[in-house]
């Protein structure tokens, strides 16, 4: 027996399968190949992903933007349902849409998958979702890492994380400095819960101390099994929002993730201004009301944790709203004017939600 064979067997006895990892790479290659841009150099197997930066020479002053994130405890839903090809959309959506709020185009992404045991078909399904979402976002998947952590994670447990890099022309940078009084708060509908607040949702709906419902339970107001709704992929706004920034006079955008609508919009509000959002302009999807009612969660707590039906916000002049709504509709995104920016009267930079959602 060779030393390498002996070492391989010893590693396998410790719970790590090099053969399974190699098979996973072979299975994911077809999906990674789909998530390419012309600037991508090489393929899987290198120590680093390569991206031709000469394309940046067309910029006068290119600013690089970067973002990293995971999908939180939503992975527990995917694992319980044994459905793994949608969680990649959540991962990509979390990172690329953080970039576009400043006007940056996502260029490339890398991912990291940690698991208790490499099951090649499962890893390939995860990467399939990541690659397909990268195509939807317009960025390349230039590399990644799969790590087997026996003893730290259970055999069928895994977690995912990713990082992306983008670029924006300095003169086109969006943010608080551009926001003006009387800007309209244009809300863009979410596809559902996206990837935030699942610890609350799981506690309320799934835990024994909560409702204790099963994922295959048919919920009338959801129109199907509970798990199907909870696993709905995150909407990716990247291409639509970049087009919006090019085609209209957008001053700022906000990606509504952990912390909810008000908290995330405050991140792009200048101190001298504030914003008021009218809840009466939309009705959140039924899953939000379900969590509120079943868990007896206060509206304040709900709005501090979940997106409540709004996944992205743009601030722009009133005369640009109709054009923006029409453009976003072309991408299949429902958008509506939900509020307005004004001079701050009480708390500088504050965002206040007023009124009530229809039917709540």
């Amino acid at each position: 027996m060779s030393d390498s064979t002996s070492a391989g067997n010893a590693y396998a006895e410790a719970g790590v399968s090099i053969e399974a990892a190699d098979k996973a790479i072979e299975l994911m290659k077809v999906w990674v190949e789909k998530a390419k841009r012309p600037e991508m150099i090489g393929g899987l197997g290198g120590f680093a992903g390569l991206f031709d930066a000469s394309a940046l020479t067309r910029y006068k002053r290119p600013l690089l933007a970067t973002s990293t994130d995971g999908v939180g405890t939503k992975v527990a839903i995917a694992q319980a349902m044994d459905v793994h090809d949608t969680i990649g959309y959540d991962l990509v959506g979390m990172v690329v849409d953080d970039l576009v709020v400043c006007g940056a185009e996502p260029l490339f992404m890398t991912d990291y998958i940690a698991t208790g045991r490499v099951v090649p078909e499962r890893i390939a399904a995860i990467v399939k979702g990541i690659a397909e979402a990268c195509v939807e976002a317009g960025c390349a998947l230039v590399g990644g890492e799969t790590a087997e952590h026996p003893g730290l994670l259970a055999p069928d447990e895994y977690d995912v994380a990713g990082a992306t890099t983008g670029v924006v022309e300095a003169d086109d940078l969006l943010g608080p400095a551009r926001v003006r009084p009387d800007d309209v708060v244009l809300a863009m509908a979410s596809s559902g819960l996206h990837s935030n607040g699942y610890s609350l949702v799981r506690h309320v709906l799934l835990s024994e101390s909560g409702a204790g419902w099963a994922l295959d339970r048919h919920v009338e107001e959801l129109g199907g099994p509970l798990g199907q709704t909870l696993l709905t992929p995150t909407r990716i706004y990247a291409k639509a929002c970049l087009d919006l920034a090019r085609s209209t006079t957008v001053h700022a955008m906000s990606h509504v993730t952990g912390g909810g609508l008000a908290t995330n919009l405050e991140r792009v509000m200048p101190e001298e201004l504030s914003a008021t959002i009218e809840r009466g302009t939309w009705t959140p999807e039924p899953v939000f009301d379900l969590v509120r009612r079943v868990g007896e969660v206060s509206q304040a707590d709900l709005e501090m944790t979940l997106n409540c039906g709004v996944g992205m916000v743009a601030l722009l002049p009133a005369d640009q709203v109709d054009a923006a709504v029409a453009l976003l509709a072309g991408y299949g995104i429902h958008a509506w004017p939900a509020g307005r920016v004004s001079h701050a009267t009480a708390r500088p930079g504050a965002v206040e939600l007023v009124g009530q959602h229809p039917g709540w």
Side-chain angles (χ1 to χ4, degrees), residues 71-78 87 90 191-206 215 226-234 287-288 291 305-307:
V71 301
T73 60
K74 189 171 184 175
V75 293
I77 307 297
I87 205 73
D90 300 294
S191 59
L193 295 166
H194 285 185
S195 299
N196 301 103
Y198 271 78
S199 293
L200 171 65
V201 173
R202 290 167 54 243
H203 173 72
V204 167
L205 300 179
L206 305 178
L215 288 168
L226 174 61
Q228 180 177 305
T229 294
L230 297 187
L231 208 55
T232 300
T234 297
V287 67
F288 297 103
V291 173
T305 309
L306 306 178
N307 68 60

Side-chain angles (χ1 to χ4, degrees), residues 124-144:
I126 297 170
V127 174
K128 171 180 181 286
I130 295 172
E132 289 178 336
C134 282
V135 172
E136 188 169 327
C139 69
L141 180 59
V142 298

Side-chain angles (χ1 to χ4, degrees), residues 2-223:
S2 68
D3 289 343
S4 60
T5 302
S6 177
N9 289 340
Y11 212 7
E13 289 176 4
V16 176
S17 173
I18 295 174
E19 289 183 359
D22 290 342
K23 183 179 178 182
I25 291 172
E26 285 301 314
L27 291 175
M28 71 175 71
K29 278 183 177 179
V30 63
W31 302 112
V32 175
E33 185 66 25
K34 295 177 183 295
K36 296 188 72 171
R37 285 176 53 124
E39 304 92 340
M40 185 174 168
I41 297 174
L44 289 180
F47 284 96
L50 299 176
F51 192 88
D52 186 354
S54 62
L56 303 185
T57 57
R58 72 176 187 268
Y59 291 83
K60 291 186 294 184
R61 186 187 169 202
L63 302 180
L64 293 180
T66 185
S67 173
T68 185
D69 207 343
V71 301
T73 60
K74 189 171 184 175
V75 293
I77 307 297
Q79 291 160 20
M81 294 180 64
D82 197 23
V83 175
H84 311 286
D85 61 353
T86 63
I87 205 73
Y89 278 82
D90 300 294
L91 179 61
V92 174
M94 288 299 101
V95 294
V96 300
D97 288 332
D98 275 356
L99 289 189
V100 299
V101 299
C102 68
E105 175 190 1
L107 299 175
F108 56 85
M109 177 172 175
T110 56
D111 65 71
Y112 181 83
I113 304 169
T115 183
R117 175 188 56 170
V118 169
V119 178
E121 293 77 13
R122 183 166 61 207
I123 298 299
I126 297 170
V127 174
K128 171 180 181 286
I130 295 172
E132 289 178 336
C134 282
V135 172
E136 188 169 327
C139 69
L141 180 59
V142 298
E145 174 72 11
T146 300
E148 204 165 21
H149 292 167
L152 183 62
L153 295 170
D156 293 327
E157 287 182 343
Y158 63 82
D159 197 9
V160 295
T164 186
T165 298
V167 62
V168 59
E169 184 67 70
D171 289 343
D172 298 329
L173 185 67
L174 303 179
R178 292 178 178 253
V179 180
R180 297 290 181 266
D182 293 324
D183 275 355
V184 170
V185 179
L186 186 72
M188 304 178 211
S190 67
S191 59
L193 295 166
H194 285 185
S195 299
N196 301 103
Y198 271 78
S199 293
L200 171 65
V201 173
R202 290 167 54 243
H203 173 72
V204 167
L205 300 179
L206 305 178
S207 72
E208 292 184 4
S209 58
W213 291 355
L215 288 168
D216 60 359
R217 177 190 177 107
H218 181 88
V219 181
E220 192 64 34
E221 51 263 66
L222 301 181

Side-chain angles (χ1 to χ4, degrees), residues 277-288:
I277 296 175
E278 298 280 351
R279 295 188 186 98
T281 60
W282 84 97
T283 300
E285 291 92 335
V287 67
F288 297 103

